[in-house]
């Protein structure tokens, strides 16, 4: 009997870990390399560098000129593209967003591979790989905008399709006496939302509110996804997906102070 219970417990833990790993806490980048005529450039060398940590990820395009960088940490990157008979293209400020797959088209110019062309207009990538409807809020927005209590849920409440719930209008606000722990997305109840932190479900099973609200300084970015998301998010009708900031090569400190003076 004891051995049977041990086996059942191991199966439950394995199933739980598989569920957690399926949640998306990263982003993908599809790179399409073309020559001046618009034809695909095969076997072009790609070097993607994360700015915060200087970590390099290499790749090479296939016969159609495509390559996918998968499971990238959200943030800013630099991409270098090189191929024989073409100038090396350096693209700055390539932004990877949480839970999104972006496509970046790179057109190489004829010339020597030792010549380098700097491209600074690579911040906007085309989201053509899925039909997800939602909004991504970056760490700069979380830190810069005024938040009463430094609660990021307040930013989620003013995103497209979302609305706050007044005290007494839902189980979460009635039991907690707070309006900053949950929200309504596309007219749904708070129990229809999934609150993820680094891929882990944190929704309060009793009230439907966010069980964990990370500090504003700890958040890399978060997204509010309303519809047509992938199967890995299939348990709820709307997703508030938060990722925590990771380490960098530099030392950073954060200091804040509450000032709640009625005269102001």
């Amino acid at each position: 009997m004891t051995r049977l219970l041990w086996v059942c417990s191991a199966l439950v833990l394995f199933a739980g870990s598989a569920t957690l790993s399926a949640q998306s806490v990263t982003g993908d980048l599809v790179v399409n390399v073309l020559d001046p005529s618009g034809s695909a450039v095969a076997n072009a060398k790609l070097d993607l560098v994360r700015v915060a940590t200087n970590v390099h990820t290499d790749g090479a395009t296939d016969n159609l000129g495509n390559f996918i960088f998968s499971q990238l940490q959200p943030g800013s990157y630099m991409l270098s593209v090189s191929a024989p008979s073409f100038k090396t293209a350096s693209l700055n400020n390539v932004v990877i967003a949480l839970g999104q797959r972006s496509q970046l088209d790179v057109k190489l110019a004829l010339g020597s591979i030792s010549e380098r062309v700097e491209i600074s207009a690579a911040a906007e990538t085309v989201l053509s790989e899925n039909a997800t409807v939602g909004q991504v809020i970056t760490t700069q927005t979380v830190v810069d905008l005024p938040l009463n209590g430094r609660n990021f849920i307040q930013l989620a409440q003013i995103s497209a399709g979302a609305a706050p719930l007044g005290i007494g209008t839902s189980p979460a606000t009635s039991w907690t006496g707070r309006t900053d722990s949950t929200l309504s997305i596309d007219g749904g109840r708070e129990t229809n939302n999934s609150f993820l932190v680094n891929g882990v479900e944190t929704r309060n099973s009793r009230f439907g509110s966010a069980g964990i609200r990370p500090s504003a300084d700890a958040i890399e970015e978060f997204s509010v996804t309303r519809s047509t998301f992938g199967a890995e998010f299939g348990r709820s009708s709307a997703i508030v997906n938060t990722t925590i900031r990771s380490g960098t090569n530099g030392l950073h400190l954060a200091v804040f102070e509450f000032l709640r003076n009625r005269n102001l």
Side-chain angles (χ1 to χ4, degrees):
M1 186 65 179
T2 302
R3 183 176 182 181
L4 178 61
L5 290 175
W6 184 88
V7 172
C8 291
S9 300
L11 290 175
V12 170
L13 290 174
F14 176 80
S17 62
T19 302
L20 295 179
S21 64
Q23 306 297 342
S24 179
V25 295
T26 58
D28 300 333
L29 177 64
V30 180
V31 180
N32 183 27
V33 182
L34 307 171
D35 64 14
S37 67
S39 300
V41 178
N43 202 33
K45 305 302 181 183
L46 309 177
D47 181 24
L48 187 67
V49 184
R50 191 181 183 201
V51 175
T53 59
N54 201 36
V55 173
H56 291 248
T57 304
D58 300 326
T61 58
D62 57 17
N63 292 333
L64 298 178
N66 296 322
F67 184 81
I68 300 177
F69 292 98
S70 59
Q71 296 183 336
L72 299 172
Q73 292 292 325
S76 181
Y77 288 76
M78 295 186 300
L79 176 66
S80 177
V81 183
S82 61
S85 303
F86 296 98
K87 297 179 181 179
T88 299
S90 297
L91 295 90
N92 301 318
N93 199 25
V94 178
V95 178
I96 303 300
L98 174 66
Q100 296 185 357
R101 170 172 287 189
S102 304
Q103 178 176 322
L104 183 60
D105 295 329
V106 182
K107 183 170 287 189
L108 298 179
L110 294 174
S112 172
I113 196 172
S114 61
E115 299 179 83
R116 184 172 294 270
V117 178
E118 300 287 341
I119 303 175
S120 59
E124 297 295 332
T125 52
V126 180
L127 302 178
S128 61
E129 297 298 315
N130 58 55
T132 299
V133 177
Q135 182 177 3
V136 175
I137 295 88
T138 64
T139 181
Q140 197 66 32
T141 302
V142 174
V143 172
D144 288 350
L145 290 181
L147 298 175
N148 184 10
R150 297 170 57 78
N151 185 355
F152 79 97
I153 295 293
Q154 294 173 340
L155 291 179
Q157 291 174 341
I158 62 175
S159 62
L165 295 171
I167 295 178
T169 61
S170 72
T173 60
S174 298
W175 282 94
T176 62
R178 303 182 58 158
T179 62
D180 60 355
S181 62
T182 189
L183 69 161
S184 172
I185 301 178
D186 279 353
R189 297 183 176 183
E190 72 273 28
T191 52
N192 294 340
N193 302 329
S194 179
F195 294 96
L196 302 177
V197 176
N198 276 3
V200 179
E201 178 63 70
T202 66
R203 178 178 57 191
N204 187 305
S205 59
R206 183 177 183 184
F207 304 135
S209 56
I212 297 177
R213 296 190 297 272
S215 167
D217 298 300
I219 296 174
E220 176 70 32
E221 63 184 35
F222 72 93
S223 63
V224 180
T225 309
R226 308 196 305 273
S227 62
T228 60
F229 39 79
E232 68 268 25
F233 300 114
R235 61 185 297 171
S236 303
S237 60
I239 309 293
V240 179
N241 191 8
T242 306
T243 181
I244 303 300
R245 300 177 72 175
S246 60
T248 66
N249 289 336
L251 178 63
H252 300 274
L253 301 177
V255 178
F256 68 88
E257 178 186 3
F258 282 118
L259 178 59
R260 295 181 175 179
N261 191 324
R262 293 183 180 274
N263 294 328
L264 300 178

